[in-house]
């Protein structure tokens, strides 16, 4: 069953019934001011950091699930009937409803009792504010007397403190109201130099800033007393719960249309110019007023919306494809790329499953997210790499997370996830390949954000590699530390106390448990450094990394190969995991993907054996599960992985992030049909038709689909913020379609299904437009390339001369029949 449809021309997903199985959300904002918005206008906003600069309040895990947001209420003053044009929170039976989630905007339109309301929510580029443009149309043949109420609930900035520290917070709230603008200025009187504002284009017939006055005692958002009465009491919040609500009375003649603009914004003042007059406690509004005035003008709103649309056309235009599969086209051209931008911006901080409080920017996460984003805005990827590297520890290790506002390592989560360092190498490699910007390697970057510790980024990479080499275990495989990519494989944790974090509890010295996955990752990263060092004429380094990779490979074959697949790890007792010797957890997906991506076994059929084992033991119609057999009970020595009931999350769920590794591995051994089949199984657009089972949004990947051991097999959870986005993008565009940036030029090496006659693509690479046409001439993956009509040897198109605008590429694949 479906709850809407794709509109690929408009680049929108159109939801046609409001009661989707879960809130289906979108994100507003591309740079610094962000919002989450659901299909019923739920959600919240923040500036840069979902934890430290939260503008509006949102209560997670609420009942109903999605309550609190950017609400508008309409009231027919003739009969007192009121409703929410976004369905929630009043939940009246709307006569028509659509929610169009687009690139950085959401438009919710409904008709109720012949009053049409359409609200377009978006954040203008380069601004720290969001616009809600409401268009009201009276479809009746008679006049309508309508009251419009807006409503947001302010968060007292630090979302964690806001949700816990009531003894203080109920006494700190402060507001101002000037010229129809509601200002939220809690703590502005002391150390904050920022405030929020909520403005309206119309003269107000009233307002509320105190929640209790708006809702009325003992009432909820579904029937606010002010809306019911059709009157606002002009409340000023002193403490308790500051909100913003405007009340506007609108007379609409038959068929008349009216636009009302609301602005919700964040603003900072210079520290020494916070107040006006200077000796008062009143916000200095001189700097914000022009911004407010600008966006209360419909023509400026229109222009800002057009700019946003152009911005996305530009970004998505970096790669567009036409393949025989509409689900591939839609994901590559629109939604997967869009999700890559969102994960780049959010990491794992704020979604409807990540509270914005618990997790900042993950080190491994952000490095991986970059892989799917780097072609869109390489300059921002560069900045991100330098931020990440500046949190790196001197020993090459990494803080597992950092806060986006401060850009400093988050000590609560600490470090010691032994895979973290290597991901930086892969991110830098991806950036250099995309941008051809070798200068980044010479950038002086701090360690642990400490002045005076700077070394060139190149040395950061070397230290990352050395981190692994300094931590080898009894089998000479890398020690796993707190965990590797699999945050739940906690082999040194041994926690028997409820409530302890599996990721930060350590009861073992960590000198025994090893990871085959990190070994594969190390080899992959080492191969990149070999190339990077080669380009820099650093022969010694290239030789060193080459030797290290070879040695690690030999170690994997010795200790990490189980006969028909790669093993997963050795535990603290030195026992193997991910082996036929195990009763549960015999085979894991991660080392199959990572080791084969690193090239292991590709030449000698062992990769094929491992992938055949994946197909046999792990692949399901809903995707490839993480391991089998699932852990049926909690194992003290394995940690969080065995804490989940079988079939969920890391305990044998389809952990979607790992599936593209297998797709890429399949292309390494030339099996395009198999790779594409796996791609299709978890493609959200393809799964749209089973939305009632899948439950999450059909336009973005979810982190997990319940595996076959789970009673809810096939049901997805944790949509949006997952490495699944970037890795699937890489798998389909670079491995299957084979459009691969390399240090020396764009490589064209498709490994597509046998049944495809070919595909077309336009790729903007290093400023040049590559118009690519791929035609299948026969079976197999052999490639013949022509550039502007001339055939060239190999698969890499040499970098064109400086002033080249467009290159015409013809690729013929397969042997002529
Ligand atoms: C989840 C992991 C996640 C980790 C973050 C665990 O509970 O299962 O997927 O990476 O928390 O700390
Ligand atoms: C989600 C985390 O964000 C990611 O870093 C981790 O690799 C996976 N879970 C697997 O545990």
């Amino acid at each position: 069953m479906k709850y809407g449809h794709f509109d690929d021309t408009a680049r929108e997903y159109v939801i046609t019934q409001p009661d989707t199985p879960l809130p289906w959300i979108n994100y507003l904002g591309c740079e610094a001011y962000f919002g989450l918005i659901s299909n019923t206008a739920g959600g919240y906003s923040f500036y840069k950091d979902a934890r430290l600069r939260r503008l509006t309040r949102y209560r997670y895990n609420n009942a109903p699930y999605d309550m609190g947001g950017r609400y508008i209420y309409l009231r027919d003053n003739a009969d007192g009937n009121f409703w929410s044009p976004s369905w929630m929170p009043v939940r009246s039976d709307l006569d028509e409803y659509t929610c169009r989630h687009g690139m950085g905007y959401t438009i919710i339109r409904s008709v109720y009792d012949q009053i049409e309301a359409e609200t377009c929510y978006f954040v203008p580029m380069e601004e720290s504010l969001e616009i809600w443009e409401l268009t009201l149309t009276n479809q009746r043949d008679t006049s309508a007397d309508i009251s419009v109420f807006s409503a947001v609930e302010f968060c007292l900035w630090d979302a964690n403190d806001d949700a816990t520290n009531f003894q203080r917070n109920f006494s700190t709230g402060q507001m101002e109201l000037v010229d129809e603008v509601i200002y939220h200025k809690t703590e502005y009187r002391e150390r904050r130099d920022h405030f929020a504002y909520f403005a309206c284009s119309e003269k107000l017939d009233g307002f509320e800033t105190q929640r209790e006055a708006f809702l009325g005692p003992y009432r909820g958002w579904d029937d606010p007393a002010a809306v019911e009465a059709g009157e606002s009491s002009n409340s000023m919040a002193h403490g308790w719960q500051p909100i913003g609500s405007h009340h506007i009375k609108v007379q609409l003649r038959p068929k008349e249309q009216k636009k009302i603009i609301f602005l919700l914004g964040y603003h900072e003042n210079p520290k020494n110019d916070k107040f006006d007059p200077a000796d008062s406690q009143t916000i200095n509004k001189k700097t914000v007023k022009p911004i407010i005035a600008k966006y209360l003008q419909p023509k400026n709103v229109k222009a800002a919306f057009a700019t946003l649309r152009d911005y996305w056309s530009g970004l998505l235009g970096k790669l567009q494809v036409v393949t025989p599969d509409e689900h591939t086209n839609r994901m590559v051209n629109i939604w997967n790329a869009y999700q890559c931008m969102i994960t780049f911006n959010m990491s794992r901080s704020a979604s409807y499953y990540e509270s914005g409080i618990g997790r900042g920017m993950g080190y491994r996460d952000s490095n991986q997210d970059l892989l799917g984003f780097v072609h869109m805005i390489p300059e921002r990827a560069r900045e991100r790499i330098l931020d990440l590297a500046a949190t790196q520890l001197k020993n090459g290790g990494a803080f597992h997370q950092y806060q986006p506002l401060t850009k400093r390592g988050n000590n609560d989560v600490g470090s010691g996830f032994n895979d973290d360092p290597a991901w930086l190498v892969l991110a830098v490699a991806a950036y250099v390949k995309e941008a051809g910007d070798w200068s980044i390697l010479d950038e002086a970057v701090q360690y642990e954000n400490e002045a005076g510790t700077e070394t060139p980024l190149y040395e950061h990479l070397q230290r990352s590699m050395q981190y692994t080499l300094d931590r080898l275990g009894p089998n000479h495989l890398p020690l796993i530390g707190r965990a590797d990519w699999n945050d739940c494989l906690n082999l040194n944790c041994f926690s028997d106390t409820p409530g302890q974090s599996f990721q930060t509890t350590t009861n073992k010295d960590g000198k025994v448990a090893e990871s085959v996955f990190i070994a594969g990752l190390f080899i992959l990263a080492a191969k990149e450094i070999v190339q990077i060092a080669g380009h820099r004429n650093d022969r010694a380094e290239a030789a060193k990394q080459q030797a290290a990779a070879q040695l690690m490979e030999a170690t994997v074959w010795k200790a990490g190969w189980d006969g028909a697949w790669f093993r997963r790890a050795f535990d603290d007792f030195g026992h193997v995991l991910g082996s036929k010797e195990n009763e549960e957890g015999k085979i894991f997906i991660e080392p199959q993907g990572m080791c084969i991506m690193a090239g292991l076994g590709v030449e000698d059929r062992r990769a094929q054996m491992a992938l055949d084992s994946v197909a046999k033991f792990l692949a399901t119609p809903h995707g490839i599960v993480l391991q089998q057999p699932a852990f049926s009970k909690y194992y003290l020595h394995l940690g969080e992985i065995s804490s989940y009931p079988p079939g969920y999350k890391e305990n044998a769920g389809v952990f979607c992030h790992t599936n593209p590794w297998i797709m890429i591995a399949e292309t390494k051994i030339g099996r395009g049909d198999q790779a594409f089949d796996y791609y299709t199984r978890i493609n959200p657009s393809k799964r749209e038709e089973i939305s009632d089972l899948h439950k999450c949004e059909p336009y973005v990947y979810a982190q997990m689909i319940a595996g076959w051991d789970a009673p809810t097999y096939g049901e997805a959870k944790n949509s949006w913020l997952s490495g699944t986005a970037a890795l699937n993008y890489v798998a389909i565009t670079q491995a299957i379609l084979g459009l691969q940036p390399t240090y020396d030029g764009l490589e064209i090496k498709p490994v597509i299904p046998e049944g495809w006659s070919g595909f077309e693509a336009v790729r903007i690479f290093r400023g040049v437009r590559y118009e690519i046409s791929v035609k299948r001439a026969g079976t197999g993956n052999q490639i013949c390339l022509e550039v502007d009509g001339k055939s060239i040897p190999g698969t890499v198109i040499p970098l064109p001369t400086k002033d080249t605008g467009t290159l015409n590429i013809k690729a013929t694949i397969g042997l002529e029949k």
Side-chain angles (χ1 to χ4, degrees), residues 348 354 359 364-365 368 400 484-488 649-650 655 657 703:
R348 304 295 167 271
E354 301 282 5
R359 301 168 75 188
R364 95 159 66 86
D365 294 326
Q368 283 179 87
H400 199 45
D484 59 23
W485 172 89
N486 190 330
D487 272 326
C488 299
K649 295 279 279 180
E650 282 86 344
F655 211 97
H657 182 159
Q703 179 203 59

Side-chain angles (χ1 to χ4, degrees), residues 433 740-748 765-766 770 795-800:
K433 288 176 191 174
Q740 242 178 85
T742 74
Y743 298 102
D744 305 313
L746 189 65
E747 179 163 33
I748 315 280
F765 176 67
R766 302 199 194 173
Y770 290 70
T795 53
V796 179
I797 303 158
L799 290 168

Side-chain angles (χ1 to χ4, degrees), residues 301-316:
V301 171
K302 198 169 165 200
F305 191 67
T307 305
L308 178 70
R309 303 254 340 186
D310 289 349
Y311 173 77
W312 273 104
S313 298
L315 290 184
L316 298 179

